[in-house]
């Protein structure tokens, strides 16, 4: 399985985590797990099935006060595990925060940035982000068709553009976005995409306005995100002017990592939907949004810590990456 260099280092930090994966969002239940739930006997089985909601054929756990899963106890333990063991869990609960994609015959796996421990691991090395491949992956890649082989080459070039530290991160994001646009034109019958020598600024006022407007049109996950987004829109001009000074103060490599990781997670989807440019923009705009959030904290306090950046990245990821509706809205805006 192709995976980030830190994938195998991840372990849930449990009670040392300041967050809880069973709060703040709906948890969908896959059909196989729902079948297991239907066979749980006794009083707890009745209560388990009573904690499940169905809408349009999709089952999910009901949310109690504070958007807590109905089976989450006050002490943070899961009643389902306590009564039935971990083997009964639905896929999301069992695998979170892991995600998996397929590129040709190759399985790819990653860890979601909604998890603070994953964010910490992502930021644990300043060196360029890298992927790990097993021998089985190398063998499987030999069966790539022409389209999948081209995808791999394009993704490697996108990584290289974002990791070209001769340029500042705003230019790298802009150049990466321009290359994504050229790939899109190629997909639609245009010339073969070449690495761009000229590109538009992704931090231009009109581009940031478009991004913040797109985010504002999405369903908000909580009041914290609504408040942060409102402040970003209100202070857009101030933040845009302050970005160069902020990046000089805080450094750029974390935002490079965010963008590269976004390409790894999301660009594979272009194999199915051909939305190359929109998926590149999703990765670049993820880094830019977190950058703006961090810049605002820096302006307000005069300082920024890695923990501050982790909290902002985690909030953003929950809002965008963990809502398929919001992902779809972003892709529609930039397709």
């Amino acid at each position: 399985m192709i995976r980030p260099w830190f994938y195998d280092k991840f372990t849930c930090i449990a009670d040392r985590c300041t967050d809880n994966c069973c709060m703040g969002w709906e948890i969908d239940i896959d059909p196989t797990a729902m079948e297991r739930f239907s066979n749980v006997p006794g009083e707890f089985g009745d209560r388990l099935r009573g904690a499940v909601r169905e809408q349009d054929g999709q089952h999910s756990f009901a949310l109690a006060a504070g958007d807590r899963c109905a089976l989450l106890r006050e002490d943070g333990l899961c009643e389902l595990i306590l009564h039935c063991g971990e083997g009964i869990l639905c896929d999301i609960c069992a695998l979170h925060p892991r995600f998996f994609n397929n590129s040709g015959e190759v399985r790819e796996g990653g860890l979601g940035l909604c998890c603070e421990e994953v964010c910490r691991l992502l930021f644990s090395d300043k060196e360029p982000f890298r992927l790990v491949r097993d021998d089985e992956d190398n063998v499987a890649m030999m069966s790539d068709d022409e389209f999948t082989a081209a995808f791999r080459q394009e993704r490697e070039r996108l990584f290289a553009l974002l990791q070209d530290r001769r340029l500042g991160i705003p230019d790298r994001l802009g150049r990466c976005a321009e290359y994504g646009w050229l790939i899109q034109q190629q997909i639609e019958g245009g010339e073969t995409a070449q690495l761009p020598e000229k590109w538009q600024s992704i931090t231009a006022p009109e581009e940031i306005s478009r991004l913040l407007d797109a985010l504002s049109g999405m369903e908000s996950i909580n009041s914290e995100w609504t408040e942060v987004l409102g402040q970003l829109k209100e202070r857009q001009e101030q933040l845009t002017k302050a970005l160069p000074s902020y990046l000089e103060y805080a450094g750029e490599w974390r935002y490079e990592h965010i963008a590269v990781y976004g390409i790894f997670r999301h660009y594979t989807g272009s194999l199915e939907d051909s939305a190359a440019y929109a998926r590149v923009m999703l990765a670049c705009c993820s880094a830019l949004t977190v950058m703006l959030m961090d810049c605002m904290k820096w302006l307000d306090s005069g300082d920024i810590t890695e923990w501050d950046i982790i909290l902002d990245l985690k909030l953003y990821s929950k809002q965008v990456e963990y809502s398929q509706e919001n992902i779809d809205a972003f892709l529609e805006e930039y397709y």
Side-chain angles (χ1 to χ4, degrees):
M1 183 178 71
I2 295 179
R3 60 201 183 276
W5 63 270
F6 57 81
Y7 183 91
D8 297 323
K9 296 183 178 182
F10 172 76
T11 302
C12 176
I13 59 175
D15 59 346
R16 292 183 287 122
C17 184
T18 66
D19 208 341
N20 191 305
C21 297
C22 305
M23 297 172 57
W25 46 28
E26 282 191 352
I27 301 172
D28 290 337
I29 304 169
D30 55 282
T32 303
M34 195 62 225
E35 185 175 347
R36 291 197 295 269
F37 295 172
S38 67
N39 294 322
V40 175
E43 179 183 351
F44 177 72
D46 293 337
R47 192 151 60 85
L48 165 61
R49 289 180 286 277
V52 173
R53 296 290 178 266
E54 180 181 1
Q55 183 175 4
D56 299 329
Q58 174 63 60
H59 294 88
S60 62
F61 286 111
L63 297 180
D67 282 345
R68 299 168 61 92
C69 174
L71 296 177
L72 178 65
R73 298 195 333 180
E74 288 299 322
D75 61 4
L77 298 178
C78 171
E79 289 195 70
L80 188 54
I81 293 176
L82 292 174
H83 282 87
C84 304
E86 293 187 1
I88 199 171
L89 292 176
C90 60
D91 286 346
I92 288 180
C93 292
L95 296 174
H96 186 80
R98 297 166 184 82
F99 65 83
F100 301 97
N101 294 317
N102 291 317
S103 56
E105 299 299 318
V106 180
R107 183 81 156 163
E108 299 186 347
L111 299 158
L113 299 177
C114 65
C115 170
E116 63 193 48
E117 175 64 4
V118 176
C119 296
R120 187 194 68 78
L121 288 170
L122 178 66
F123 294 155
S124 64
D125 192 341
K126 293 183 180 181
E127 293 303 308
F129 175 91
R130 56 196 181 276
L131 295 174
V132 176
R133 291 200 309 244
D134 298 322
D135 291 340
E136 293 84 352
D137 301 320
N138 295 325
V139 172
M141 288 169 60
M142 295 175 63
S143 64
D144 282 350
D145 58 25
E146 182 178 354
F147 186 64
T148 306
F151 151 80
R152 295 199 199 283
Q153 292 180 345
E154 292 160 2
R155 189 169 70 175
E156 287 299 321
R157 290 171 184 158
L158 290 166
F159 287 164
L161 291 176
L162 290 169
Q163 294 174 332
D164 182 0
R165 296 182 177 181
R166 296 172 298 177
L167 297 175
I169 192 64
D171 273 327
R172 284 184 263 165
L173 294 176
R175 194 180 186 198
C176 184
E178 182 67 24
Y179 185 53
W181 176 255
L182 295 175
I183 293 172
Q184 190 67 51
Q185 302 312 299
Q186 174 184 306
I187 290 173
E188 296 175 7
E191 297 180 358
T192 301
Q194 303 294 327
L195 295 181
E197 297 301 323
K198 296 181 180 179
W199 53 88
Q200 295 182 341
S201 172
I202 199 172
T203 59
E206 60 273 16
E207 290 299 323
I208 293 181
S209 292
R210 182 184 182 186
L211 168 60
L212 296 181
D213 286 344
L215 293 173
S216 297
M218 299 176 184
E219 179 183 3
S220 178
I221 58 165
N222 57 34
S223 59
E224 180 185 4
W225 172 256
T226 302
E227 181 179 351
V228 168
L229 185 56
Q231 291 178 1
L232 291 178
K233 290 176 66 69
E234 183 178 335
R235 301 170 63 179
Q236 175 186 334
E237 183 176 355
Q238 177 196 25
L239 295 173
T240 304
K241 290 180 179 178
L243 267 182
S245 297
Y246 166 69
L247 291 171
E248 183 178 358
Y249 178 87
E252 300 184 333
W253 63 272
R254 292 179 183 85
Y255 305 107
E256 172 192 309
H257 284 5
I258 293 170
V260 172
Y261 201 58
I263 293 292
F264 170 67
R265 174 160 193 175
H266 298 293
Y267 190 64
T268 311
S270 66
L271 285 168
E272 295 185 2
D273 61 18
S274 297
Y277 175 65
R279 291 186 175 278
V280 169
M281 287 300 291
L282 176 57
C284 292
C285 288
S286 295
L288 177 57
T289 304
V290 178
M291 197 186 305
L292 291 169
M293 295 166 71
D294 295 341
C295 182
M296 186 164 64
K297 279 188 177 177
W298 175 69
L299 286 174
D300 290 344
S301 67
D303 193 16
I304 190 79
T305 66
E306 186 167 278
W307 180 243
D308 291 326
I309 300 174
I310 286 174
L311 291 179
D312 284 343
L313 176 55
K314 182 174 69 168
L315 178 62
Y316 170 84
S317 179
K318 284 185 176 183
Q319 166 63 26
V320 177
E321 293 185 309
Y322 281 83
S323 167
Q324 188 58 51
E325 291 82 2
N326 289 346
I327 288 276
D328 291 344
F330 191 100
L331 296 179
E332 183 177 353
E333 170 64 28
Y334 286 96
Y335 192 84

